[in-house]
Amino acid sequence: MAAPTSTIDLSAALITAPVPIGHWLAILPVAHCITLGAVLLMLRAYPCLQAWLAIPGLAALALIDAALLAKVAADGPLTMVMGRWLPPFGIAFTVDLFGALMAFTAALAALAGGIYALADIGESGRRYGFFPLLMLLMAGVTGAFLTGDIFNLYVWFEVLLISSFGLIILGSEREQIDGALKYAVLNLIATTLFLVGVGILYAAFGTLNMADIAAKAGDLRGTAPLMTLASLFLLAFGMKAAAFPVNFWLPAAYHTPRIVVSALFAGLLTKVGIYALIRVMVMLLPMERQELSLVIAIAAAATIVVGALGALAENDIRRLFGYVVISGIGNMLAGVALGGLGGISGAVFYALHSMVLMTALYLAAGEIARRGGGFSLSALGGLYRQSGGFTALSLVLFLAACGLPPFSGFWPKVILVKASLDLGAWWLAASILLGGFLTTIAFGRLFLLAYWRPAAIELTPSGPRWRTGLPLAALTALVVGFGILPEQLLALSQSAAAGLADPQAYLHSVFPEGRAP
């Protein structure tokens, strides 16, 4: 007699239906970065070939992220789980409009940096692994923007930190080792705090899936230590974003590596910290964010003013721009403190603007050093007479960094000031305006000394190079375009903010049949 057969129903634990082809876009950017990074590492002995493979690879990454953004904008959040295990047990990549916008903007900044690196990174730097490390960095940055699991957010932080350690010491100069030590110690402390928070979160919720946490937070608010969690995450992400009073590591580190590395760090790394802060505090712990709003607002105001004052005091252009990064982080923190559609959309808009602008500013600093012979304001001069076109391009970037119209930095500041005044936080609005005023003075001083003042010695005219001019011109065009025609980016920022404040579409993407058990 034949043995009885039994059929195991896996539908309660696994996704049995074929995965829609469009959902593969959720993991394709990360898989692309890791695969290309591995290929480039195997070609370490061929530095020229590395470069010409990396640039098309970065362009392909931008196209993949553009397709992902278009799909999410049209159809709403999408989820892809590893091994087909259903959430919250399966590791999920869940992409909403906020994550897709950040990933696409990061890819554009990385593409610009990769092209600039053709001139800035020599054969030695390529042999040390610049391009493989860049792809690993982009894997970490993109993974952080696209993951739907908070422990994997920590993992992607580690990936980008490992690659950033390699990039910051590229060249092994004494100054780079010193900057890397300060950078590493503070970021490792922040990562440890993040990991402690993740452990407490798992003990309280029994899950690390972001959608599951957002759904359960309301029921556990009376029993779980959610204020402790929110405070830990605020400190950890604030340290990674270089917010006051844990911002001192950034100006001590970002001026030490190659200028293209500084540009990528300024454009991308601090924004990952801001992204994580917005994701956790606004979507997962909204009530705790509201309770901590005054603390966040005070930190934001201090970050804005301290960053602007630091920029005023600096003589080295790279350190000056480092303080501008810090001041911009304060503006984003102000949006987190304000909450609501106005505050969060202002923070999202400012983050996207800052990713493009800060990358461009550091690339411009490299051009200033190439044309003027160094980064010191006391020694620079005569750049206007040497190149009127580069002077005009620099002036556009400077005005955008000050938040002046008609460039992209103007609109998020308007949104944040209006949101502050609507809530009666006049002092926060005043700090945003004061920061812009002080930053304008700092950039006015830079322009007068480096560009308008006659050079102490006769400068040899230095013509443009497409490897440096093309990425700088392209990023500047984005700054101008989104300043003159901000409607589309503003609409996307508002939609992203609305999706964070009301994450029902995000939850439905992860749990189509309803809330997880």
Side-chain angles (χ1 to χ4, degrees), residues 186-214:
L186 269 297
N187 274 278
L188 287 174
I189 291 172
T191 302
T192 302
L193 291 173
F194 183 17
L195 185 58
V196 170
V198 169
I200 297 173
L201 188 74
Y202 185 72
F205 286 84
T207 180
L208 293 171
N209 183 277
M210 292 185 189
D212 204 19
I213 293 167

Side-chain angles (χ1 to χ4, degrees), residues 89-288:
F89 310 107
I91 297 172
F93 272 64
T94 302
V95 187
D96 62 357
L97 194 53
F98 181 36
L101 278 169
M102 296 290 282
F104 176 57
T105 309
L108 293 179
L111 176 59
I115 296 172
Y116 192 96
L118 295 176
D120 192 49
I121 303 296
E123 183 175 337
S124 175
R126 296 178 192 183
R127 286 186 181 276
Y128 275 116
F130 171 81
F131 285 108
L133 287 171
L134 174 57
M135 296 310 303
L136 185 62
L137 179 76
M138 288 309 299
V141 169
T142 308
F145 291 150
L146 303 184
T147 186
D149 182 281
I150 199 162
F151 180 75
N152 277 273
L153 177 62
Y154 163 79
V155 170
W156 293 120
F157 265 116
E158 290 293 305
V159 171
L160 70 89
L161 277 177
I162 291 169
S163 54
S164 65
F165 293 158
L167 288 170
I168 202 170
I169 62 170
L170 206 65
S172 303
E173 297 175 6
R174 183 182 181 89
E175 185 183 44
Q176 292 174 326
I177 302 299
D178 179 65
L181 182 62
K182 297 169 184 174
Y183 172 82
V185 169
L186 269 297
N187 274 278
L188 287 174
I189 291 172
T191 302
T192 302
L193 291 173
F194 183 17
L195 185 58
V196 170
V198 169
I200 297 173
L201 188 74
Y202 185 72
F205 286 84
T207 180
L208 293 171
N209 183 277
M210 292 185 189
D212 204 19
I213 293 167
K216 292 177 178 178
D219 296 337
L220 296 176
R221 189 151 279 120
T223 57
L226 298 191
M227 280 299 294
T228 301
L229 277 170
S231 301
L232 270 174
F233 287 134
L234 177 60
L235 179 58
F237 298 143
M239 191 177 294
K240 285 186 174 293
F244 183 85
V246 285
N247 61 306
F248 49 87
W249 61 268
L250 191 149
Y254 274 23
H255 70 289
T256 58
R258 301 292 302 184
I259 198 66
V260 67
V261 175
S262 296
L264 292 167
F265 283 14
L268 303 180
L269 297 195
T270 52
K271 309 313 177 297
V272 179
I274 284 292
Y275 168 86
L277 185 64
I278 293 174
R279 177 71 70 189
V280 170
M281 300 299 286
V282 176
M283 192 180 90
L284 305 188
L285 303 171
M287 297 300 294
E288 289 66 33

Side-chain angles (χ1 to χ4, degrees), residues 1-5:
M1 190 171 80
T5 60

